Amino acid sequence: MNTAIRRLSVLIAALFGALLVASTVIQFAQAGSMNRMAANKRTLLDNYGQERGSILVGGQAIAKSVEVDDQYQWLRTYPEGRLYSQITGFYAYSVGNPFGLENAADELLSGKADRLFVRRVTDLVTGRETAGATIELTINPKAQQAASQGLGKNRGAVVALDPTTGAILAMVSHPQYDPNPLSSHDLDEAATAWEKLSTNSAKPFINRAITGDLYPPGSTFKVVTAAAALEQGIVADENSRVPGPAELDLPLTDTPLPNETRQPCGPNDQTTLIHALEISCNTAFASLGLELGGKQLRDQAGKFGFGLDSIKIPMRVSPSTIPAEMNEPQAAQSAIGQYEVRTTPLQMAMVAAGIANQGRVMTPYLIQTIRTADLDVIEDTPEPEELSQAVSPRTADILKRMMVSVVDNGSGRRAQIPGVAVGGKTGTAQHDLDKDPHAWFISFAPADDPKVAVAVVVEESGVTGNEVGGAAVAAPIAKDVMEAVIGR
Amino acid sequence: MTTTVEPVIPRTRRGVELVLLVVAIAIVLLAWVTVDLNRNGTVPANIFPVAGGLVVLAAVVHVVLRWRAPYADPVLLPITIALNGLGLVMIHRLDLAAGRLGTDGSANQQIIWTALAVALTVAVIWTLRDHRLLRRYTFVSLAVGFILLILPLLPGLGREVNGSRIWIGLGPFSFQPGEFAKIALAVFFAGYLVQTRDVLSLAGKRVLGFTFPRGRDLGPILVAWVLALLILVFEKDLGSALLFFGLFVAMLYVATERVSWIAIGLLLFAAAVAFALSAFSHFQKRVDLWLDPFSPENLERSNQLANGLWGMAAGGLTGTGLGAGRPWLTSFAESDYIFASLAEELGLIGSVAILMLYLLFVERGVRTALGVRDGFGKLLAIGLTFSVAFQLFIVIGGVTRVIPLTGLTTPFLSLGGSSLLANWIIMSLLLRISDQARRPVPELPVGVGADPAASEATQVVRL
C-alpha cells in the first residue's frame, strides 16, 4: 500500500501547489488590477478613509470633506449644492463619482495624481496624513449666481469666459440638483436620490454647458458665417452690400429659404453686412453660405474650435459638430445655424470671446490653482493657452463693430449696459417643429477692453419667426452675467 | 558481553513538541495582541486569561501524550494549536469589528468549543489504547456515518442554512453531522477495504493496460457514489458530496493500488456533475460566478466570491496588518471565508505560511500512514489525512477560484463547533496511529538467544 500512499501524497502536493499558485496570482500578480476595479468596496472605503481635497470658489468651499464618526470617516458635503451641482458632481458610495470635477479631477482630489508625488513622499517621511489636493476654480461667484437666477426655472445653460485667458467665469446648467443626498452615508437616502434623479426625464446630471445632446446654434452662427466671408474676401467690410431678398431660391430644391419676417432685408432686395446682422437677415447669410460652400464654412467653424475632441476643462467637452459633406442648400442652411450644426454653449462663448480678443481663441479652463490641504500652492494659475487664431485682428475688429451694433441698434437691445460697449448676437434655434425654438444670446463686454464673453441658451422659450422674442429671454441673462463680472 | 549491542531506543521527541508548542502559542499571542494594538492602540486586557487558557489546553494534551502515547508525532499538536489559535484571533478580530464584546462574541463560543475539543482529544488518547480496536466497529461505523449523513434530512431536526440542508438543530445547539460522518466513514472504509482489498485488487480483466474490476466488485464504489448523489440532491451540498466520494476513491486506490479505480471514480463523478449542472440551477449559478465573478450581473447575484478576492488582493504581499483590513465586507468572513480574511490581513506571506502549516500537517499524516505496520492503520491514517487535505482544497480552492465555490469549513480555522471537534478528533486519531508507527517494534528483548543469561534474566522479570 505504501506505493499508492506515496502516489496519493504527490496528488495532495499538486492540490496544495494549485492553492499556492492561485494565492500568489490573486495577492501578487493581479492585486493591482483587482484593487482598481470600480466595484471594489475596499478601494472605495480606502478613498473615504482619506480626506478628499476641497473645491474652492472665491475662497469658499463648494465641496469639502467633513470628518464624521462612522465607518466611512469623511463625509463629502456641498455647501451651495445646487448652484454648483454640474461643476462639482457628487461622491456617492454605491454609484461612485461619475460626473463633474469629482470625476474629472479625481486624481487631484484623492491625492493620487502623479504631480502630487513629491508631496506624498514628504508626507510619508514627516508622518503627516496624506490628504487630497484642494483646487481653486476660476468661477466668479457673482456671475455664477446671476446666471443661475437668470435661467430661473427654465432649462438651459450659461457659460461666461474671460476672453483674454479662457478662464471660465460662470458655468450653469438647468435643471440643477442637490449633490448632498447623493453623497450621504445613509445609503438608503443616497439610493433614493439616485433613483429619482437618474430617471428624471430632464436629465439633471447632464452639464448642458459642455455636453449632452448639444444645441443647434441658430442665428448666433451667422457670426461664424460673417467671419468666413470676411476672411475669404467675399465681403470687404461691414458696409459691403449683400443680397437680402424676402426669400432665397436654393439650388437643387423647390423650397426657398425665407426671412422670418417674410420681408426683404433692405430696398431692392439688398442690404449691408452690418444691417443684415443687426436684424438677423436669413437670406443674406444663407447667400453668403452658398458662395462660401460647405468646406469653407466648416474650416472657419473649426478654427473657432468646432470638431475639437481634445478640450478638457478638466471635464471633457463634447465636440461641436458641423457636417463634413454638404451640398449647396445644406451649406445655406448651415450658414444660418440650422441643418445639422450642433454646438455647446461653451463653444459659442468661445466664438464670442475669440472675436472680442482680436481673433485669438483661448483654451477654456476651470482650475485656477492647485493647493495642499493647508493651502500651500502646488501649482499656480496656468499660463493662458491659445487654442487658435480664428480670424485676423482686422476681421475681428469688423465683427466686433457689427456685434456692438446688434446690441446698440438691432435685435440685442436688451443686453445694453449703460456706459459700456456691449457686443452680441441673438439666436432662435429650431430643433423640433412641434416645440418652441431655443433662445440664444452670445455677447462680450466691454468691447474696447473685453473682460467677459457669455453664451446663453434657454430651451424652448424662443418665439418662432420672431428674433426679438427669443432675445427677450436670453439677452437679459447675458446682461446680468456681464454686469456681475465687470462690476456694474 | 562484548557482543552485546546497545539497543537503539527510538526517541519520543516529546521535548521537540514542547518547544514547538511554545512557538505556536507565542505566534498566536503575538497575533492576538497585534489585533488590539492596530485597532485600539492598547494591549488587550484579556491577554493574560487568553495566554493562560492556551497554555493550559496545550499542556494538558502534551502531558497526556507523554503518558499515554509517548511516541506520537511531535508536530501535529503544535500545528493544530497554531491554526486553531489563528482562527480564534481572526474570529475575535471580526467580533471587534461587529461590536460583539465579551461573552457575546463568537470568539467566546469558539474558545469553549476549543476546550471541549481538547477534552475530547484527551478522552480519545486515553481510552483508545490501540487504533486497531476501531476495526471491531467497522459496520457500526457504517451505520453511524450513514445516520449522521441523513440526520439533516429528518423533518423537524434538519435545518436549511444558505440553501444547503447540512445542519441539525437540538434546542439552542446546532451541528453539522457531516463533519463527524467523515470520521465514521473513514473508519468504515478502512475496515471494509482492508478485508476486501485482495479481491478488489486482483480479480478482473486487462483492457488497454489497465486491470478493470469485475462487475460484481463494482458494488461498493456504486454504493458510495449513490450515497454522495443523495447528499447532492437532497442536502444540496456539493462540497460534502465531493469530499465523501473523493475520500472513498482515494482509500480504494490506496487499498488496491489500482489506477482503474480512480478512472472509474472520476467517470462517475463527472456523470454526477453533469447531472447536477443540468438538474439544478443552483449549481449552474455557482459555475457562472466562478467563471466571471466580477461581471455586474454576477455581482448583483452574489458578491461573496468577488469580495473575497478583493480582500485577498487588498492584502497584497504583506497584508494590511491584523486588525487593519476590512475582512468583514465578505460574507462568512469567519467561517467559509476565514482563509481570505487571514490572507487580507497577513498578506501573501501569511496565506503561504498557513498553507505550509496545513501541508506540514498532511505530510506528518502521510508519514504516519507509511510508518504504521497494519493495513487498517495505514488506510485509516491516509484516509483521515486525505480528508483534511481534500476538504482544504475544496474550500480554499473555491475561495481562490481554482474550482467553483462550495461551502465547507476550513479545518481548525473556521468558526463552528462541529468542524472544530471533528478535526481535533482526526488529529487525535492520527496521534494515536503515529504512536504505533513510531513505537519500537515489540519484539523479543535484544540479545535473546545470543545470550542465555540475559534471556534468563528476562524470564525472571516476566515471572
Side-chain angles (χ1 to χ4, degrees), chain B residues 8-16 70-74 438-440:
Chain B
V8 180
I9 300 168
R11 297 165 68 181
T12 62
R13 300 277 180 191
R14 293 269 71 79
V16 173
Y71 292 97
D73 189 286
R438 301 176 71 247
R439 185 181 292 179

Side-chain angles (χ1 to χ4, degrees), chain B residues 205-254:
Chain B
K205 30 182 154 165
R206 284 182 75 78
V207 180
L208 296 169
F210 287 108
T211 312
F212 276 91
R214 297 174 302 179
R216 63 183 122 138
D217 295 330
L218 283 174
I221 195 170
L222 287 176
V223 169
W225 183 64
V226 168
L227 200 67
L229 269 185
L230 289 177
I231 300 170
L232 197 68
V233 174
F234 293 105
E235 304 187 0
K236 298 187 202 96
D237 185 15
L238 185 61
S240 299
L242 183 58
L243 178 60
F244 292 128
F245 192 62
L247 174 62
F248 179 71
V249 172
M251 291 179 71
L252 190 57
Y253 168 66
V254 170

Side-chain angles (χ1 to χ4, degrees), chain B residues 121 175-176 225 282 285 319 332 371 401 438:
Chain B
T121 295
F175 300 97
Q176 267 182 296
W225 183 64
H282 182 66
K285 275 181 203 151
F332 299 99
R401 243 183 112 208
R438 301 176 71 247

Side-chain angles (χ1 to χ4, degrees), chain A residues 83-429:
Chain A
L83 181 58
Y84 293 98
S85 51
Q86 274 85 13
I87 293 179
T88 56
F90 53 85
Y91 192 70
Y93 181 75
S94 50
V95 293
N97 43 339
F99 303 111
L101 284 169
E102 295 285 21
N103 174 271
D106 182 51
E107 294 213 319
L108 287 171
L109 294 169
S110 65
K112 292 199 183 98
D114 289 340
R115 47 184 145 167
L116 303 178
F117 177 74
V118 177
R119 190 76 197 175
R120 280 201 300 275
V121 173
T122 49
D123 283 350
L124 196 66
V125 173
T126 58
R128 180 173 46 196
E129 283 278 311
T130 298
T134 290
I135 55 183
E136 200 168 15
L137 304 186
T138 54
I139 297 288
N140 176 327
K142 283 187 200 153
Q144 181 82 5
Q145 192 71 48
S148 185
Q149 269 173 8
L151 278 173
K153 287 191 171 11
N154 287 310
R155 293 180 197 172
V158 177
V159 175
L161 293 174
D162 181 334
T164 55
T165 62
I168 296 172
L169 303 174
M171 184 160 70
V172 172
S173 169
H174 275 207
Q176 296 170 321
Y177 62 92
D178 186 354
N180 286 306
L182 289 159
S183 311
S184 168
H185 290 180
D186 177 346
L187 299 186
D188 288 338
E189 185 191 355
T192 313
W194 166 259
E195 188 61 31
K196 201 173 139 206
L197 288 167
S198 58
T199 55
N200 186 333
S201 62
K203 297 188 181 165
F205 290 142
I206 300 297
N207 185 350
R208 291 161 152 79
I210 56 170
T211 52
D213 296 334
L214 308 194
Y215 298 103
S219 302
T220 56
F221 196 75
K222 288 172 182 164
V223 175
V224 177
T225 308
L230 286 162
E231 288 283 281
Q232 298 303 323
I234 290 170
V235 285
D237 57 34
E238 69 267 38
N239 296 315
S240 298
R241 302 204 67 79
V242 289
E247 284 187 351
L248 184 68
D249 284 329
L250 295 177
L252 309 173
T253 168
D254 296 336
T255 320
L257 188 150
N259 276 333
E260 282 159 355
T261 54
R262 311 279 162 178
Q263 301 291 319
C265 299
N268 303 323
D269 286 352
Q270 290 228 325
T271 183
T272 57
L273 186 63
I274 190 166
H275 188 245
L277 197 71
E278 282 168 11
I279 63 167
S280 203
C281 176
N282 281 350
T283 52
F285 287 96
S287 70
L288 286 177
L290 280 179
E291 271 190 72
L292 284 163
K295 184 175 181 307
Q296 287 187 352
L297 212 52
R298 186 178 153 81
D299 285 352
Q300 183 61 58
K303 286 185 186 168
F304 279 109
F306 275 71
L308 215 58
D309 201 8
S310 57
I311 301 179
K312 290 186 174 128
I313 61 168
M315 290 88 98
R316 192 180 155 275
V317 179
S318 298
S320 298
T321 59
I322 178 165
E325 296 293 329
M326 288 183 276
N327 62 22
E328 289 181 302
Q330 288 166 350
Q333 291 276 354
S334 298
I336 59 166
Q338 295 294 159
Y339 187 50
E340 285 178 5
V341 182
R342 294 288 180 277
T343 185
T344 57
L346 175 67
Q347 175 61 66
M348 291 317 291
M350 284 160 69
V351 170
I355 291 165
N357 191 35
Q358 297 183 311
R360 289 175 74 203
V361 178
M362 308 305 288
T363 305
Y365 62 92
L366 194 54
I367 296 179
Q368 180 80 26
T369 322
I370 301 168
R371 297 170 184 274
T372 63
D374 30 5
L375 302 185
D376 297 340
V377 173
I378 300 173
E379 259 180 51
D380 206 354
T381 320
E383 203 54 38
E385 212 178 298
E386 184 181 310
L387 187 74
S388 66
Q389 182 79 41
V391 290
S392 68
R394 180 184 168 272
T395 303
D397 255 4
I398 298 170
L399 289 168
K400 202 190 269 188
R401 284 201 293 276
M402 288 163 60
M403 287 174 73
V404 169
S405 184
V406 168
V407 173
D408 285 350
N409 316 306
S411 58
R413 286 194 184 87
R414 293 225 177 201
Q416 288 174 359
I417 302 173
V420 178
V422 176
K425 178 70 192 89
T426 55
T428 306

Side-chain angles (χ1 to χ4, degrees), chain B residues 2-78:
Chain B
T2 48
T3 56
T4 309
V5 178
E6 274 300 305
V8 180
I9 300 168
R11 297 165 68 181
T12 62
R13 300 277 180 191
R14 293 269 71 79
V16 173
E17 182 180 76
L18 188 61
V19 173
L20 290 178
L21 277 174
V22 170
V23 173
I25 291 173
I27 290 172
V28 172
L29 291 180
L30 190 68
W32 189 274
V33 172
T34 310
V35 167
D36 275 59
L37 277 181
N38 266 336
R39 288 190 63 88
N40 310 325
T42 54
V43 175
N46 58 7
I47 180 67
F48 290 109
V50 169
L54 268 177
V55 169
V56 168
L57 291 178
V60 166
V61 184
H62 178 70
V63 168
V64 171
L65 282 178
R66 273 186 187 267
W67 185 22
R68 288 291 196 158
Y71 292 97
D73 189 286
V75 186
L76 288 171
L77 179 65

Side-chain angles (χ1 to χ4, degrees), chain A residues 1-2 7 27 42 46, chain B residues 257 307 326 343-344 351 378:
Chain A
M1 283 193 268
N2 279 2
R7 285 199 196 130
Q27 299 198 265
R42 283 175 173 84
D46 275 343
Chain B
E257 297 195 341
N307 264 333
R326 299 188 184 89
E344 175 173 355
S351 9
K378 273 185 194 302

